[in-house]
Amino acid sequence: FYRPKTIDDALVLLGQTKDAKIIAGGTDIVIALNERKINPHALIDITGIGEMRRIWEESDTLHIGAAVTFSELESSDLVRRYCPSLCEAASRMGAVQIRNLATIGGNAANAATAADGVPPLMSVNACAVVRSVGNARCIPLAEIITGINQNALAPNEMITEFQMKDLPNTVKVFEKIGRRKALAISRINLAVCAKMSGRTVRTIAIVVGAVGKTAYRVKEAEDYLQNKELSETVILTAAELMDETVARNLAGRSTTPYKRKIAWAVLKRSLERIAGGYANE
């Protein structure tokens, strides 16, 4: 068990230690350890690395350290200014005890299909800074997550932060449906980022999770909504396109009829919030 104090020290350990796993909040990995699903030779605890616990702004870019917890995201004024949908997702993820431990980097790297932090980040085109010894690259989050609990990181790489640009004159909303109101793993989650001119959509990103192997953009609905006023008819048509997309991606699964209905409902609710002008209440 290692607890480095700097990113460089962590990367050296990661590169030199056979079959090492990064641990931060531990809300996913500790369960996997207890259930003997994984048996790493070493754990590298990154919670002592101050740089990875920071949220800061440089020029027009927000930086979120990978070890920032969901409670810290929920209460951050900077995050609320850049991406209120991420604050909303953080506030609805699990119990307070889980939010106090779970980190945004772990949420992304674990690549669970229902990860609540992923759709808001993808909807604003956030990138993950992935580092190894002597190398750093900024990769769109959609390229990091490759399947159910699968990511594109090499064994000697780790996510150190996320970056997102300021997107002025946009509204950003998050919706989620779980099995119950509290402590629920998402049956579906959705983030929308829209640039509006009055009630007319200029650009829009719609990202849905928990209805496929990974979160994904709903391109058909996005293309349809471009330059359209959010009337009741337009909103219902976009919701139908969401329904059709989910039906294709979940074809043959027993949950498909239910997932189609809730996908239709969460997009309709999101677009109604945007049209009503109270997206950031």
Side-chain angles (χ1 to χ4, degrees):
F1 184 89
Y2 301 99
R3 197 165 191 265
K5 297 297 184 184
T6 69
I7 291 175
D8 287 342
D9 288 346
L11 294 175
V12 169
L13 283 168
L14 195 59
Q16 295 180 349
T17 308
K18 181 182 178 182
D19 190 23
K21 293 288 187 183
I22 298 292
I23 184 169
T27 55
D28 289 314
I29 197 171
V30 169
I31 294 171
L33 288 166
N34 287 338
E35 294 179 348
R36 302 293 192 267
K37 292 180 178 178
I38 59 171
N39 185 30
H41 289 184
L43 294 175
I44 301 173
D45 181 354
I46 60 171
T47 56
I49 303 175
E51 185 178 351
M52 294 182 66
R53 301 294 301 269
R54 296 174 56 213
I55 300 172
W56 74 102
E57 180 183 31
E58 287 182 9
S59 301
D60 63 345
T61 301
L62 179 68
H63 301 253
I64 302 173
V68 168
T69 67
F70 277 80
S71 289
E72 291 165 338
L73 290 172
E74 178 185 358
S75 61
S76 169
D77 290 337
L78 270 178
V79 175
R80 190 168 302 279
R81 178 157 63 85
Y82 273 79
C83 191
S85 56
L86 182 56
C87 288
E88 189 172 3
S91 72
R92 299 175 63 182
M93 199 278 282
V96 172
Q97 296 93 326
I98 295 295
R99 296 198 294 271
N100 287 343
L101 290 173
T103 64
I104 187 62
N107 196 243
N110 187 55
T113 58
D116 286 332
V118 171
L121 289 172
M122 285 180 59
S123 72
V124 296
N125 295 316
C127 72
V129 176
V130 175
R131 290 182 58 179
S132 59
V133 175
N135 186 46
R137 52 202 178 113
C138 201
I139 308 171
L141 185 56
E143 296 177 18
I144 294 285
I145 300 171
T146 58
I148 301 173
N149 299 123
Q150 297 178 337
N151 63 54
L153 301 176
N156 66 333
E157 291 181 321
M158 72 173 180
I159 299 172
T160 58
E161 67 177 81
F162 298 89
Q163 296 180 1
M164 65 182 73
K165 292 290 187 182
D166 186 22
L167 299 174
N169 304 316
T170 56
V171 290
K172 308 172 186 76
V173 300
F174 175 81
E175 290 287 345
K176 166 180 175 174
I177 293 177
R179 291 183 184 271
R180 55 194 187 278
K181 289 185 178 180
L183 317 185
I185 294 174
S186 294
R187 300 287 283 171
I188 191 169
N189 51 32
L190 178 83
V192 180
C193 175
K195 187 169 186 177
M196 305 293 294
S197 176
R199 289 172 61 95
T200 299
V201 176
R202 294 308 179 199
T203 61
I204 191 166
I206 301 169
V207 182
V208 66
V211 287
K213 293 182 178 180
T214 65
Y216 54 86
R217 298 267 300 262
V218 186
K219 292 291 189 180
E220 294 90 341
E222 292 176 356
D223 291 343
Y224 169 74
L225 288 166
Q226 187 92 17
N227 295 318
K228 287 189 173 65
E229 183 177 333
L230 289 180
S231 65
E232 181 179 357
T233 299
V234 166
I235 289 173
L236 290 174
T237 302
E240 291 295 334
L241 290 170
M242 167 69 89
D243 176 302
E244 293 168 8
T245 298
V246 170
R248 283 197 304 274
N249 286 334
L250 294 180
R253 298 191 190 182
S254 61
T255 58
T256 300
Y258 170 69
K259 294 272 188 170
R260 290 178 65 176
K261 289 180 181 179
I262 60 175
W264 182 93
V266 292
L267 182 58
K268 178 176 179 288
R269 186 186 305 168
S270 295
L271 295 175
E272 288 173 345
R273 287 177 62 187
I274 293 169
Y278 51 84
N280 296 321
E281 76 270 26

